[in-house]
Amino acid sequence: MTKQPKQSYEILISRLDLLEFIDKFASFFAREKDKDSHAILMLPGDRQFFSTLLQELDSVELKPLPKLAELDTPLIHLQKQGTLSLNEIFSFSQLVGYFIYLKKHIADSTPRTQAWCDKILIPEVIAKLPTFFTQKGEIEKGIYPHIDELYSQIKQTKIRIDESLQKLLHTQALLPYLVDKSVHYINQNECLLLKAGYNHSIKGMVLERSQSGFFYLLPDSILTLKERQNALKDSLEESLYAICKELSSTLAKHLPFLKFLNHCFDIFDSILARLSFAKALNLSFIYTLDSKNHIILHEFSHPALHSPKPLSIDFSGDCLMITGVNAGGKTMLLKSILSACFLSKFLIPLKINPHRSKIPHFKHINAILSDPQNSKNDISTFAGRMLEFSQILNTPNLLLGIDEIELGTDADEAASLFKVLLEHLLENKAKILLTTHHKHLAALMANNPQIQLCAAMYDIHTQKPLFEFLNGSIGKSYAFETAQRYHIPSTLIAKAKSVYGADKQRLNELIERSSTLEITLEQKNKQLEQRINEYDKKLLCLKEQEERQKVEFQTLKHNLQNQYHKATQTLKDALKAKESKEIHKAFNIAHTILTPTQTPPKAHTKAQNLQVNDYVKYQNTRGKILNIKGTTCLVELESGMKLKEKIHNLKKIMQNQTQHTPTLKTPTIRIEQSKSVGVSLDLHGMRGEEAIEKLDEFLSNALVAGYDEVLVYHGIGTGILSRLVKEYLQQHPKSYLLMMLQQIWVALAQKS
């Protein structure tokens, strides 16, 4: 990544009001950066590599990195064969220990991170280093027995010192000389504060006198124990130094690896700091920078604003000229666009909708925002501006922001000068944002196709800025309205308007009217887009419904085809059988298959409460329930007939409702059924008229008997009898069933 001077980053961060935001981001690093903006921002590697690792680790839970100081100085000491302190060796132990943990916990779901971790090959000797230390940085017990023994003796000596002091504090002979019963520390020695005359009660060494004239006494009994304690501590220091020397020698042999691992720590620290910062503040990353020179911000909020109104803007031109009302957010718009590009360049999360935003890469980002006037250096406002312009005129791949471009000089002269300067920068492929109140400059640049106009809007009714921006328009400054809002007398404003001139006032009115029309048009466009979206949703629903119906139709068609196939297959199988019982059984099965199954409708909640003697309505007749068994009722109709019917087919009615309908007795028709009716008829040897007469009588008796299928045998011969039977069946009222079976009959007749 291209480096810029550190000073330029610090100045830019300050001018864009990002100081507090960057300081908060820096607090998430494990290794303190001392507010060095360059170290905080810079990515120690390729941006695409960091982007990939950030996306992979976004959903991975890892323990935080240990808080480590810079290890550059210890590494230099190792390079010079020096001996590190125990704390410095412990820092290397923490460094190695974390990467051992990381290599174990990175899974296959993060392939790029896993590949990066696999490149870190920790030597076996270095991998044992974390086992030497506790979490507090002390030597682990059991590794060096003589160290453990020294710690134990020092601890026992300390206990004996405390016990001796407590015994002295409760000695009756010493009580009159004690100022207090506290243990005082003078140069790390435990002392008693005594009054004069103590000599007869205790012997010791006076280390110091208090301001009140009392004596800090180190008793002889404690002095002996302190000497032993100090001797033990000296032995411990010597032993620890020997261990540090041994471990430093081991570390020095793997110096290149430790330098590499220290660099890897900085890389991973940069990644985890960004992830933790984003999760803590609910921020988003712009992972990929757009290749086109096109800035789109959607729902972006500048971090310096406490209750921001999210900003959405499409900056497709090469120069965005922002005009409009004072205090309407022009400068904040400029800072927002520059801030979004600056933070995204260094993969710092921000409050934005990343899915609908596009930000290109800029090698250099510069902002000319503040007043550069400096009386000590004899630089005026305009001279300072010209100095800053001279330093960037030929800068490649530049994103430049200029606030109040006309600041510090004559407006008409500035318009001509800045027109030329802007055109020069545009020729060098710079992307520019500027705010101005110069209508002259806006008019000069408006015809340039590279210029994109943007106006800060003003609500005339409330006389307040809207903090919204309208593309393609030149905004009015509303200087008179702003002055009136800040309590400038209306008489003075009226005089100012008369001085301003009628022509210029009419021009402002035209600009204002144009802005109002554009706002109205934009509102209508939004309404139209909303209605289009609604119609699109409805169209999508209709298409989904159409697809569902197609699927249902295909399913139904497939089921019907399967039923037909099963029925015909059953009948074909029956052709192979010669017994009439098997054939009759096959007819029944085929009929069952072809009969559509209808799911009975769910019973109404009211029908569930039917009881015996309730009056009900069934179809167009009424009746009374005589008996209920399960879901079936025995009902006596008004005609006197009795029938069994499902509960869900009955509707309960009041008893008086039945009285309005006159009782009509339907005459009972009884049909005498012949007991000799069979299921087959043989027409062999009969003439045509005789056969048709027999067939008609046979079918009538079979229908009255309730047969579903019958068998008719006729001869083959010349086919006359077969043709007469077929014609008769076609004209019969039940022909839809009889014709379905006629082919089977013909086949059976041929077999017989």
Side-chain angles (χ1 to χ4, degrees):
M1 182 173 289
T2 304
K3 293 184 178 180
Q4 287 182 227
K6 297 181 183 179
Q7 184 182 9
S8 65
Y9 289 138
E10 293 167 359
I11 293 172
L12 186 60
I13 289 170
S14 176
R15 289 182 177 180
L16 297 181
D17 299 332
L18 295 175
L19 278 174
E20 185 179 347
F21 185 72
I22 297 299
D23 287 344
K24 189 178 294 184
F25 169 56
S27 66
F28 284 83
F29 280 82
R31 180 171 282 170
E32 191 174 346
K33 302 300 180 183
D34 296 327
K35 295 187 178 181
D36 183 353
S37 60
H38 187 268
I40 295 169
L41 296 172
M42 292 302 296
L43 299 170
D46 178 60
R47 187 187 186 281
Q48 186 58 43
F49 164 77
F50 276 85
S51 176
T52 304
L53 264 61
L54 281 170
Q55 293 178 72
E56 287 187 350
L57 296 173
D58 185 38
S59 57
V60 178
E61 290 294 333
L62 295 172
K63 70 178 184 180
L65 284 161
K67 296 289 184 180
L68 294 183
E70 289 290 344
L71 295 176
D72 295 339
T73 302
L75 287 170
I76 293 173
H77 288 167
L78 288 176
Q79 190 172 358
K80 296 180 178 180
Q81 301 301 316
T83 300
L84 303 181
S85 67
L86 194 64
N87 286 334
E88 291 173 333
I89 296 174
F90 176 60
S91 295
F92 281 107
S93 169
Q94 289 179 293
L95 177 65
V96 174
Y98 188 85
F99 279 97
I100 292 174
Y101 157 81
L102 188 63
K103 287 169 71 68
K104 289 181 180 179
H105 287 79
I106 291 298
D108 296 336
S109 59
T110 56
R112 189 68 180 87
T113 309
Q114 191 176 41
W116 179 71
C117 288
D118 290 342
K119 294 179 181 179
I120 304 173
L121 303 176
I122 304 175
E124 187 176 351
V125 177
I126 301 298
K128 293 180 181 179
L129 188 61
T131 61
F132 290 4
F133 295 91
T134 64
Q135 291 183 350
K136 295 182 179 179
E138 300 173 350
I139 296 293
E140 193 74 53
K141 290 183 179 180
I143 298 178
Y144 299 101
H146 65 287
I147 296 292
D148 297 340
E149 180 63 24
L150 287 171
Y151 274 121
S152 178
Q153 291 181 15
I154 291 171
K155 184 178 180 181
Q156 291 298 325
T157 305
K158 174 63 177 171
I159 292 173
R160 290 180 61 187
I161 291 172
D162 293 339
E163 289 176 349
S164 299
L165 285 169
Q166 291 301 319
K167 186 176 180 180
L168 289 171
L169 288 171
H170 293 84
T171 302
Q172 292 297 326
L174 192 62
L175 286 177
Y177 303 103
L178 286 173
V179 177
D180 56 37
K181 290 189 176 182
S182 300
V183 177
H184 301 269
Y185 285 85
I186 304 297
N187 298 327
Q188 298 182 352
N189 293 306
E190 294 86 343
C191 300
L192 302 178
L193 186 60
L194 302 175
K195 302 174 185 176
Y198 64 86
N199 308 33
H200 304 290
S201 302
I202 189 171
K203 300 296 181 182
M205 181 188 298
V206 175
L207 299 183
E208 199 173 294
R209 293 191 67 173
S210 68
Q211 293 179 354
S212 303
F214 301 122
F215 302 90
Y216 289 103
L217 182 75
L218 175 62
D220 288 343
S221 59
I222 304 300
L223 179 60
T224 304
L225 292 172
K226 288 296 294 184
E227 288 175 350
R228 174 173 171 73
Q229 186 185 52
N230 292 334
L232 290 171
K233 287 183 177 180
D234 290 341
S235 298
L236 179 62
E237 289 296 328
E238 291 176 2
S239 300
L240 289 177
Y241 179 78
I243 293 172
C244 291
K245 189 173 182 179
E246 178 187 349
L247 293 176
S248 298
S249 177
T250 303
L251 292 174
K253 294 176 182 178
H254 299 278
L255 183 60
F257 170 74
L258 293 176
K259 288 182 178 179
F260 167 70
L261 197 64
N262 188 46
H263 177 67
C264 291
F265 183 88
D266 286 331
I267 291 176
F268 211 70
D269 192 15
S270 297
I271 293 171
L272 287 192
R274 283 165 168 79
L275 285 174
S276 302
F277 185 51
K279 291 177 181 178
L281 275 70
N282 193 24
L283 306 176
S284 303
F285 290 97
I286 301 294
Y287 290 114
T288 304
L289 296 180
D290 196 52
S291 57
K292 298 179 181 178
N293 195 24
H294 187 178
I295 299 175
I296 300 177
L297 300 185
H298 193 78
E299 297 176 357
F300 172 73
S301 298
H302 192 285
L305 302 177
H306 297 291
S307 299
K309 188 174 185 178
L311 168 69
S312 297
I313 190 166
D314 188 333
F315 179 16
S316 57
D318 295 321
C319 178
L320 183 65
M321 185 174 291
I322 310 167
T323 58
V325 60
N326 295 286
K330 299 191 300 299
T331 302
M332 206 63 224
L333 171 63
L334 185 145
K335 289 183 178 181
S336 295
I337 296 174
L338 291 177
S339 298
C341 295
F342 178 74
L343 295 174
S344 299
K345 176 181 178 179
F346 297 104
L347 263 175
I348 298 175
L350 53 161
K351 199 168 188 65
I352 196 172
N353 183 341
H355 307 292
R356 301 182 63 181
S357 301
K358 290 183 179 180
I359 297 178
H361 170 73
F362 294 100
K363 187 175 181 180
H364 301 289
I365 300 175
N366 208 323
I368 303 176
L369 305 180
S370 58
D371 186 350
Q373 184 173 357
N374 191 324
S375 56
K376 292 182 180 180
N377 297 330
D378 195 24
I379 295 178
S380 66
T381 299
F382 182 71
R385 283 290 175 95
M386 290 300 98
L387 180 61
E388 289 185 284
F389 265 94
S390 66
Q391 296 171 350
I392 60 170
L393 282 176
N394 297 313
T395 304
N397 195 214
L398 171 68
L399 175 64
L400 175 63
I402 313 166
D403 188 32
E404 301 293 350
I405 192 171
E406 71 279 1
L407 192 65
T409 189
D410 178 74
D412 292 333
E413 291 182 3
S416 303
L417 177 61
F418 284 120
K419 177 182 183 296
V420 174
L421 291 176
L422 291 174
E423 288 175 347
H424 175 80
L425 289 168
L426 292 174
E427 288 176 2
N428 288 333
K429 307 300 181 183
K431 198 170 181 74
I432 307 168
L433 304 96
L434 62 92
T435 66
T436 181
H437 291 286
H438 277 193
K439 297 182 181 65
H440 189 193
L441 178 61
L444 289 175
M445 301 293 293
N447 293 329
N448 190 330
Q450 295 176 285
I451 303 299
Q452 180 177 341
L453 298 175
C454 182
M457 305 313 298
Y458 183 82
D459 191 336
I460 301 173
H461 302 291
T462 61
Q463 293 188 348
K464 291 183 179 180
L466 293 173
F467 300 105
E468 295 179 357
F469 303 91
L470 188 64
N471 271 325
S473 178
I474 298 176
K476 179 184 172 184
S477 295
Y478 291 96
F480 300 134
E481 290 80 359
T482 303
Q484 188 172 0
R485 184 156 55 95
Y486 287 101
H487 311 297
I488 299 298
S490 56
T491 54
L492 297 179
I493 293 175
K495 288 181 179 180
K497 286 183 178 180
S498 63
V499 173
Y500 185 65
D503 293 338
K504 292 182 179 180
Q505 183 64 27
R506 278 196 295 271
L507 175 61
N508 280 337
E509 290 175 358
L510 289 173
I511 293 173
E512 182 180 321
R513 191 182 305 169
S514 173
S515 300
T516 304
L517 290 173
E518 289 185 12
I519 292 174
T520 305
L521 179 61
E522 186 175 359
Q523 291 174 348
K524 290 183 178 179
N525 284 337
K526 288 181 180 178
Q527 294 175 358
L528 182 60
E529 287 179 2
Q530 185 177 358
R531 294 185 67 180
I532 290 173
N533 290 333
E534 291 175 357
Y535 284 125
D536 287 341
K537 289 179 181 178
K538 290 181 180 179
L539 182 61
L540 182 61
C541 291
L542 289 174
K543 287 184 178 179
E544 291 177 353
Q545 185 178 356
E546 182 183 2
E547 291 297 326
R548 287 197 300 269
Q549 289 178 349
K550 285 182 179 179
V551 172
E552 291 174 0
F553 173 76
Q554 293 296 332
T555 304
L556 180 61
K557 180 180 177 182
H558 179 70
N559 292 337
L560 291 174
Q561 288 176 344
N562 286 341
Q563 289 180 357
Y564 176 75
H565 176 72
K566 288 179 181 179
T568 53
Q569 187 64 39
T570 302
L571 294 176
K572 287 179 181 178
D573 293 340
L575 291 176
K576 300 177 182 179
K578 294 186 178 181
E579 296 183 6
S580 61
K581 289 183 179 180
E582 292 296 329
I583 296 172
H584 187 71
K585 184 178 179 181
F587 279 140
N588 288 334
I589 294 172
H591 179 72
T592 303
I593 293 172
L594 291 174
T595 302
T597 57
Q598 295 182 353
T599 305
K602 294 183 179 179
H604 297 287
T605 54
K606 293 182 179 179
Q608 300 293 334
N609 300 323
L610 293 179
Q611 297 178 1
V612 177
N613 295 326
D614 283 349
Y615 286 88
V616 295
K617 181 178 181 181
Y618 171 69
Q619 294 183 357
N620 294 326
T621 62
R622 295 172 174 81
K624 180 180 179 182
I625 296 177
L626 300 178
N627 189 15
I628 299 176
K629 286 186 178 181
T631 59
T632 305
C633 296
L634 178 63
V635 181
E636 182 181 9
L637 301 178
E638 292 175 339
S639 61
M641 293 181 63
K642 296 179 181 179
L643 59 85
K644 291 182 179 181
E645 191 56 57
K646 297 291 184 182
I647 291 178
H648 61 259
N649 291 330
L650 303 175
K651 183 179 180 182
K652 186 177 180 180
I653 60 174
M654 301 301 293
Q655 182 177 359
N656 56 2
Q657 286 182 271
T658 61
Q659 297 175 355
H660 296 291
T661 305
T663 302
L664 296 176
K665 289 188 178 181
T666 306
T668 303
I669 301 175
R670 294 183 179 179
I671 301 175
E672 295 293 337
Q673 179 179 333
S674 175
K675 296 182 180 180
S676 61
V677 177
V679 295
S680 62
L681 174 65
D682 191 356
L683 301 179
H684 283 84
M686 295 185 183
R687 292 180 308 211
E689 293 180 1
E690 182 184 3
I692 295 302
E693 184 179 348
K694 289 287 184 181
L695 179 61
D696 181 67
E697 181 182 356
F698 171 73
L699 290 178
S700 298
N701 292 334
L703 290 172
V704 171
Y707 293 160
D708 291 330
E709 296 92 7
V710 293
L711 297 175
V712 179
Y713 298 94
H714 56 77
I716 301 174
T718 58
I720 296 175
L721 188 57
S722 173
R723 178 174 54 78
L724 290 174
V725 170
K726 184 177 181 180
E727 291 176 354
Y728 173 79
L729 291 177
Q730 287 177 343
Q731 297 174 359
H732 197 277
K734 298 292 184 178
S735 60
Y736 74 94
L737 176 63
L738 298 174
M739 286 303 298
M740 182 183 71
L741 302 174
Q742 204 269 339
Q743 294 180 353
I744 306 300
W745 294 340
V746 171
L748 291 173
Q750 291 175 350
K751 277 192 173 185
S752 62

